[in-house]
Amino acid sequence: MLGIETSCDDTGVGLVQDGRVRVNLVASQTLLHAEYGGVVPELASREHTQVLDRLTARALEEAGVRPQELDLVAATRGPGLVGPLLVGLGYAKGLAWSLEKPFLGVHHLEGHLHGALVDVSVEPPFLALIASGGHTHLYRVEDWGHYELLGATRDDAAGEAFDKVARTLGLGYPGGPEIERLAQEGDSQAVPFSVPMRGRAGYDFSFSGLKTAAVRFVQEGYAPADIAAGFQRVAVASLVGTLERAAQDTGLSRVVVAGGVTANQALRASLAATGLEAHLPPPGLTSDNGAMIALAAARRWEREGRADPLTISAEPYWPLGESV
Ligand code: KG4
Ligand code: ZN
């Protein structure tokens, strides 16, 4: 199974066989976009176009798989940036068509979820929390394909908050790993951050206030390491606290947590301390990658045995669980 992920600024090509990841290559565009302070969609599309064919050839070569041996070809269909999505989708369709193999268009968040479940066999019902640069969404998953949105961020996504606070502290992009590193040198109680939305009903999140608070704390002269540690403490507390409350209210103690922010060790430690049955992606499958798309496609193929027509479009805006 070949999975292609090009929804944003990383080109991902992954090969999965019998539920195991054989090869998972990611070509990062971080440096390309760094000087613009954000992802430039047109540049991202162009870079995906230049890289994708070579990266796919390398992935096949590393796995020792000939194109004809692939049993299906999958790509992210959405949500994401439309140009980058079209590059991956078009490439995957062309490859599937020329090899006469089934083609599947995958929801990016379903990819993240299946990346977290690569080594385990977990069936719904469970709670699913996706915390990435673009999403902070909490779902109740009653059955595969049936997602009830319990809560979401009202402003910035969790990863976006890490990125913005990192920038405030003069750190590099992506901000998550930078904040995590600096936080280790800081005192997480030294700066009076408060956990956003604490005490509110419902399961929504809000992270933009933390960025504003961080700017103020910098002006007030708090040490950057203490700001990083304090921010990380409350961001994690918000994610884990809300998840725990949802678990209690729904009676679902099995949770799947996915998305780039799950690389964060403080988040992992905090989740482990809850007593919830938490499933997170292994290293290499936390950030956007092709293997997670192949894994999601493989599961759908097993369940439904139905390919997508080559006429399907990219879906830049696509709420999880909604048909398009
Ligand atoms: O899932 P992902 O690779 O891409 C999206 O679909 O958005 O997530 C990227 C996000 C970035 O905002 C990045 O700062 C964050 O995940 N991230 C982290 C860590 N590593 C990556 N956040 C906190 N701690 C980390 N160690
Ligand atoms: Zn993602």
Side-chain angles (χ1 to χ4, degrees):
M1 320 252 172
L2 178 73
I4 288 173
E5 153 62 38
T6 62
S7 65
C8 191
D9 62 340
D10 285 328
T11 317
V13 178
L15 274 163
V16 166
Q17 200 170 25
D18 302 326
R20 309 192 79 92
V21 178
R22 291 280 303 272
V23 177
N24 198 17
L25 304 180
V26 177
S28 168
Q29 300 182 4
T30 302
L31 289 177
L32 177 70
H33 300 285
E35 62 177 296
Y36 303 97
V39 177
V40 184
E42 179 59 27
L43 284 184
S45 306
R46 202 187 302 169
E47 188 69 9
H48 287 308
T49 308
Q50 281 174 2
V51 163
L52 194 47
D53 191 45
R54 264 182 293 144
L55 203 64
T56 305
R58 220 179 85 203
L60 289 166
E61 195 183 306
E62 281 188 21
V65 170
R66 285 181 296 120
Q68 293 76 13
E69 290 171 326
L70 292 172
D71 39 15
L72 70 79
V73 181
T76 305
R77 182 181 183 188
L81 299 169
V82 69
L85 284 170
L86 284 170
V87 175
L89 207 58
Y91 182 83
K93 285 178 184 175
L95 192 60
W97 182 80
S98 65
L99 296 170
E100 298 182 2
K101 305 288 177 178
F103 159 77
L104 275 82
V106 172
H107 195 290
H108 182 75
L109 298 188
E110 251 178 7
H112 274 300
L113 287 184
H114 286 280
L117 298 176
V118 59
D119 294 323
V120 285
S121 167
V122 167
E123 294 295 324
F126 54 75
L127 294 177
L129 173 65
I130 313 233
S132 69
H135 291 87
T136 306
H137 283 46
L138 176 61
Y139 299 93
R140 178 187 182 131
V141 185
E142 275 305 320
D143 202 352
W144 293 117
H146 297 274
Y147 303 91
E148 181 195 347
L149 184 64
L150 297 181
T153 183
R154 297 186 175 180
D155 37 62
D156 292 349
E160 190 179 2
F162 273 87
D163 296 335
K164 287 184 174 175
V165 171
R167 198 195 290 191
T168 301
L169 295 176
L171 305 171
Y173 178 89
E178 301 277 331
I179 294 270
E180 184 169 8
R181 202 170 308 127
L182 187 60
Q184 283 168 3
E185 299 162 20
D187 173 356
S188 69
Q189 300 293 340
V191 182
F193 275 106
S194 45
V195 180
M197 309 289 280
R198 180 167 272 178
R200 300 263 197 112
Y203 308 103
D204 278 352
F205 303 90
S206 169
F207 292 102
S208 67
L210 293 182
K211 194 237 156 183
T212 316
V215 170
R216 200 178 67 239
F217 293 137
V218 169
Q219 284 163 354
E220 291 173 3
Y222 284 98
D226 292 344
I227 296 176
F231 161 74
Q232 180 173 265
R233 170 179 57 84
V234 294
V236 166
S238 167
L239 293 170
V240 176
T242 307
L243 189 56
E244 270 189 299
R245 200 154 43 78
Q248 229 158 40
D249 295 350
T250 59
L252 295 172
S253 59
R254 183 185 301 145
V255 302
V256 179
V257 187
V261 180
T262 61
N264 189 281
Q265 294 303 322
L267 173 65
R268 288 183 176 245
S270 174
L271 272 170
T274 59
L276 296 171
E277 179 196 323
H279 299 280
L280 290 93
L285 290 181
T286 57
S287 289
D288 294 350
N289 65 87
M292 71 183 196
I293 300 304
L295 287 163
R299 293 300 302 268
R300 176 145 68 91
W301 182 248
E302 270 167 37
R303 274 196 320 276
E304 300 174 3
R306 187 164 43 82
D308 284 322
L310 293 176
T311 49
I312 65 165
S313 57
E315 298 294 338
Y317 174 78
W318 184 12
L320 182 62
E322 289 190 11
S323 46
V324 284

